[in-house]
């Protein structure tokens, strides 16, 4: 990374000609994008930013960094707890690729640590309730009938979000050339039982433990907006509660951190909408299907040779457990 070009761009963008870069280093987390901490001297003060750009290899379902940044701006303006969107650079000559700059948010974001360390996040029932309220704010952020020009890339919502999601997952499987009968079974099960969605909203599509940050007292920020778009709001509820995202805490059905009741209570208090458990249960099954497809895509990134990574390789190895969960949840004895 050319620090001098980055310094010149930051100085001009922020209107701080005396800006100096004190340090840059990779940040942990972020299995799809690359995140770097950039500490800068601005006069006598040190300001810390996060620079976010594409990793060496990404997955087809991820949005561009420019689109992700515009969505981040929208939810920031709506009062959702997210990192401050500072600026976006379209010029690949600065550091070799387009990138976003965001304010640094303090806290811990590693999913297994949040689930297992009781010193993080404050009262766990309160944390689950707060996360439910924050998710409801996300769903209320944008009206598809009055979309700002900068978000025109979102287009119009699909009339049938569940079957549109299934079509995307099938296309992803075709894109990496894999055949997985258990996943195909799950997709067909989801297609037959797809619920109607009378009011699509903005959905995060990766709202889970591991994609938000906490400190010792509670939530500090919701992260990773690369999958956001229109969809069924119950998809986010199901994704958050799915067993695959509880990190060894199966009894804490809301993301491995709290009760489902507290999470639903927070969501309902903010949105005014009563949660339908049957609809959420459908999207929990589909969460395992979708995560299995993403895990296969992650493994393919490693196998391709474009990005050797133990984390990506291990993601690909998770698929049989996810397939087992899909088959158990869709067995005749599990559903009428």
């Amino acid at each position: 990374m050319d620090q001098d070009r980055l310094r010149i761009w930051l100085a001009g963008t922020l209107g701080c000609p005396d800006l100096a870069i004190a340090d840059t280093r990779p940040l942990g987390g972020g299995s799809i994008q690359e995140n770097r901490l950039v500490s800068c001297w601005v006069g006598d003060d040190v300001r810390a930013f996060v620079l976010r750009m594409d990793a060496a290899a990404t997955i087809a379902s991820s949005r561009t960094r420019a689109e992700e940044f515009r969505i981040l701006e929208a939810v920031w303006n709506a009062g959702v707890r997210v990192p401050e969107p500072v600026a976006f650079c379209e010029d690949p000559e600065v550091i070799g690729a387009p990138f976003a700059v965001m304010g640094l948010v303090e806290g811990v974001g590693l999913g297994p640590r949040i689930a297992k360390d009781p010193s993080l996040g404050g009262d766990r029932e309160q944390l689950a309730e707060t996360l439910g309220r924050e998710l409801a704010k996300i769903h209320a952020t944008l009206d598809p009938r009055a979309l700002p020009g900068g978000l025109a890339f979102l287009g119009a919502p699909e009339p049938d979000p569940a079957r549109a999601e299934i079509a995307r997952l099938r296309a992803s499987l075709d894109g990496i050339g894999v055949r997985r009968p258990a996943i195909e079974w799950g997709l067909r099960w989801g297609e037959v039982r797809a619920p109607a969605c009378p009011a699509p909203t903005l959905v995060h599509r990766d709202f889970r433990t591991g994609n938000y940050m906490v400190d010792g007292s509670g939530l500090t920020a919701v992260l990773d907006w690369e999958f956001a778009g229109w969809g069924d709001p119950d998809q986010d509820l199901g994704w958050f509660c799915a067993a695959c995202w509880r990190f060894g805490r199966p009894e804490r059905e809301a993301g491995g951190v709290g009760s489902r009741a507290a999470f639903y209570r927070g969501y309902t208090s903010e949105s005014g909408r009563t949660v339908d458990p049957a609809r959420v249960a459908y999207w929990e099954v589909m969460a395992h299907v979708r995560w299995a497809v993403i895990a296969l895509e992650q493994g393919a990134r490693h196998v391709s040779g474009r990005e050797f990574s133990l984390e990506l390789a291990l993601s690909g190895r998770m698929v049989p457990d996810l397939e087992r969960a899909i088959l158990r949840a869709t067995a005749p004895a599990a559903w009428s």
Side-chain angles (χ1 to χ4, degrees), residues 100-164:
V101 176
M102 300 166 290
L104 177 70
V105 176
E106 298 294 341
V108 174
L110 185 64
R113 186 177 170 193
I114 292 173
K116 296 173 183 178
D117 186 345
S119 71
L120 294 171
D123 180 85
R124 290 308 179 93
E125 288 295 271
Q126 183 62 45
L127 176 60
E129 191 170 333
T130 298
L131 286 161
R133 286 198 302 270
E134 214 64 25
L135 183 57
K137 290 178 187 176
I138 292 167
H139 292 165
T141 296
L142 295 173
D143 183 344
R145 297 164 299 182
L147 200 60
L151 293 170
F153 61 85
L154 288 173
E158 290 112 342
D160 190 345
R163 289 190 175 89

Side-chain angles (χ1 to χ4, degrees), residues 6 20-21 27 29 89 92 117 158 166 174 199 260 273 280 302:
L6 177 61
I21 294 178
L27 288 171
C89 179
D117 186 345
E158 290 112 342
I166 289 166
D174 291 343
R260 190 185 292 266
R273 184 173 76 88
V280 177
H302 170 79

Side-chain angles (χ1 to χ4, degrees), residues 108 123 167 189 204 218 224 252 264 293:
V108 174
D123 180 85
W189 178 94
H204 185 282
D224 295 343
R252 298 176 182 171
Y264 288 0
V293 173

Side-chain angles (χ1 to χ4, degrees), residues 1-334:
M1 180 180 295
D2 189 323
Q3 285 198 16
D4 190 52
R5 288 190 177 188
L6 177 61
R7 184 199 65 77
I8 293 169
W9 182 85
L10 281 171
T13 299
L14 300 176
C16 303
D18 60 344
L19 180 145
I21 294 178
D23 183 37
T24 66
R25 57 182 172 85
L27 288 171
S31 59
I32 296 177
Q33 313 306 334
E34 179 180 332
N35 299 309
R36 299 185 69 87
L37 174 67
V38 180
S39 298
C40 301
W41 284 102
V42 181
D44 294 330
D45 299 322
V46 175
R47 291 188 64 186
F49 303 101
V50 174
L51 187 153
R52 185 167 168 87
M53 60 187 291
D54 281 332
T58 186
I59 64 176
S61 55
S62 174
R63 289 198 173 278
T64 68
R65 302 291 60 72
E67 291 176 350
E68 182 185 28
F69 186 78
R70 299 306 168 209
I71 293 171
L72 185 67
E73 286 182 317
V75 294
W76 165 270
N77 290 333
V80 179
R81 271 185 258 190
V82 294
E84 179 186 5
V86 176
F88 188 81
C89 179
E90 297 272 9
D91 185 359
E93 297 298 319
V94 176
I95 62 169
F99 62 91
V101 176
M102 300 166 290
L104 177 70
V105 176
E106 298 294 341
V108 174
L110 185 64
R113 186 177 170 193
I114 292 173
K116 296 173 183 178
D117 186 345
S119 71
L120 294 171
D123 180 85
R124 290 308 179 93
E125 288 295 271
Q126 183 62 45
L127 176 60
E129 191 170 333
T130 298
L131 286 161
R133 286 198 302 270
E134 214 64 25
L135 183 57
K137 290 178 187 176
I138 292 167
H139 292 165
T141 296
L142 295 173
D143 183 344
R145 297 164 299 182
L147 200 60
L151 293 170
F153 61 85
L154 288 173
E158 290 112 342
D160 190 345
R163 289 190 175 89
E165 176 73 5
I166 289 166
R168 283 190 291 267
L169 294 173
R170 284 199 171 116
S172 295
L173 284 176
D174 291 343
I176 55 176
V178 300
R179 294 181 175 87
R180 307 291 297 209
I183 297 176
E184 294 289 353
W185 166 265
L187 290 169
R188 180 56 182 157
W189 178 94
E191 193 170 48
V192 170
R193 290 163 177 79
C197 177
T201 68
L202 179 71
V203 291
H204 185 282
R205 298 185 75 242
D206 203 8
F207 190 87
R208 62 173 177 84
T209 301
N211 279 342
Y212 59 82
M213 298 186 73
V214 297
D215 58 16
S217 60
L219 178 70
T220 58
V222 179
L223 308 175
D224 295 343
W225 293 81
E226 65 259 45
F227 296 120
W230 301 126
D232 188 325
D234 288 320
Q235 179 179 13
D236 277 344
L237 293 162
W239 187 259
F240 187 80
C241 292
C244 56
W245 297 123
R246 297 179 195 167
F247 297 102
R249 298 289 187 179
E251 75 284 2
R252 298 176 182 171
E253 295 185 355
V257 298
S259 71
R260 190 185 292 266
F263 181 58
Y264 288 0
R265 184 168 59 248
Y267 185 83
T268 297
S269 68
E270 182 68 31
S271 68
R273 184 173 76 88
T274 301
V275 175
D276 182 342
R279 289 178 58 87
V280 177
Y282 169 87
W283 283 109
E284 286 182 59
V285 175
M286 295 309 297
H288 287 87
V289 176
R290 180 167 169 248
W291 177 214
V293 173
I294 293 173
L296 287 168
E297 289 182 297
Q298 298 286 59
R301 289 167 63 191
H302 170 79
V303 171
S304 72
R306 290 178 294 163
E307 187 176 356
F308 290 112
S309 162
L310 179 60
E311 181 182 3
L312 295 179
L314 291 175
S315 293
R317 301 288 288 181
M318 294 177 182
V319 175
D321 285 341
L322 294 165
E323 290 174 323
R324 187 178 301 112
I326 294 165
L327 293 175
R328 284 175 175 167
T330 59

